[in-house]
Amino acid sequence: MHDPVTSFVVAVFSAPSAALIMAGAILALAVGLIFQSGHFEYAPLRDDLSRRSDLLAELGGPDRQKAFAEAFPQIDKRLGGAAHPALELGWANYRGQLAETGDGRLASSIHASDAFEHADSPARSLEWWANLMVAIGLVITFMGIVAALTEAVDAMQRQGGAGMQTALMGLLAVAATKFWTSIAGVLGSIILRLVARRRRQAIEALEAHFFAQLDGCVRFAPPEKVMLEQLAVLSRIETALADARASQALPAQSLA
């Protein structure tokens, strides 16, 4: 008489095709996760990045920076709307770095890529499930081995020494089929990681395009550049003052 848990495991794995059915279920779960993540995570993020890039691409005229500054209230409203959390927070950070210049344009002290976090949550969720797939396959495999060992022990006890060889052969045959769940778990993990890598590359390409467009619409003015420009202006002012003093000193000397 076995405990209820062992009896349940033996009952589930006693069917010859149980392991193959579970292996198929693991692969079906991996495929379902790919479609679920693509529909609810990847596709909305991809479409949102494409819409933002299209919005900046609509800025016409020879001077994109001027057009961006003039249309900034409308652009800010659309880029600051509901979107992926990484895009919302990124735009809030980037917007806080923008400052008006004297010629009616906008300047930023950082690049867009420094303000936005990488929106790779679709890939990270698939990678998390990829790790879990291997664990699921191993757990089911070990449960199948437990069931096979339990059945083999019962057969030896019923048949005695004469049935030991038959019981061991049955154990090996049953245990071999249980490893299909581990194979399915590893295969599902590989598929999920490949899809995650491909989607991450696609999102990174869209992000790079959007960031390049955004950087092209503003003037890049890091603190170091601003300080150098201020030093150059001060140097010119000092030179002009020195020339003015020299020009004033010449008439005074001629009168003396």
Side-chain angles (χ1 to χ4, degrees), residues 63-210:
D63 194 342
R64 289 175 57 87
Q65 294 182 356
K66 190 75 172 180
F68 179 80
E70 293 175 351
F72 183 75
Q74 294 79 13
I75 294 175
D76 180 34
K77 184 177 180 180
R78 295 180 64 178
L79 294 184
H84 190 276
L87 298 180
E88 286 190 39
L89 294 176
W91 174 249
N93 294 333
Y94 188 74
R95 186 186 184 283
Q97 300 294 328
L98 296 178
E100 294 185 5
T101 61
D103 55 357
R105 293 174 175 80
L106 294 176
S108 174
S109 60
I110 59 175
H111 289 293
S113 58
D114 297 328
F116 287 80
E117 295 288 339
H118 288 297
D120 60 345
S121 57
R124 283 189 284 108
S125 64
L126 288 181
E127 290 172 347
W128 184 85
W129 278 106
N131 295 331
L132 195 60
M133 281 290 168
V134 178
I136 292 174
L138 289 175
V139 169
I140 296 177
T141 297
F142 290 142
M143 292 174 65
I145 293 175
V146 169
L149 289 172
T150 303
E151 291 180 343
V153 170
D154 290 343
M156 292 178 185
Q157 291 176 349
R158 290 194 305 267
Q159 300 176 10
M164 183 176 296
Q165 184 176 1
T166 304
L168 289 176
M169 292 179 62
L171 169 63
L172 294 176
V174 173
T177 61
K178 310 308 181 192
F179 282 98
W180 280 110
T181 56
S182 293
I183 295 174
V186 173
L187 184 59
S189 176
I190 293 173
I191 294 173
L192 289 175
R193 288 190 178 278
L194 289 175
V195 174
R197 177 178 174 81
R198 183 173 181 179
R199 289 181 177 177
R200 175 178 280 116
Q201 290 175 342
I203 293 298
E204 288 178 350
L206 290 173
E207 284 181 330
H209 180 61
F210 172 61

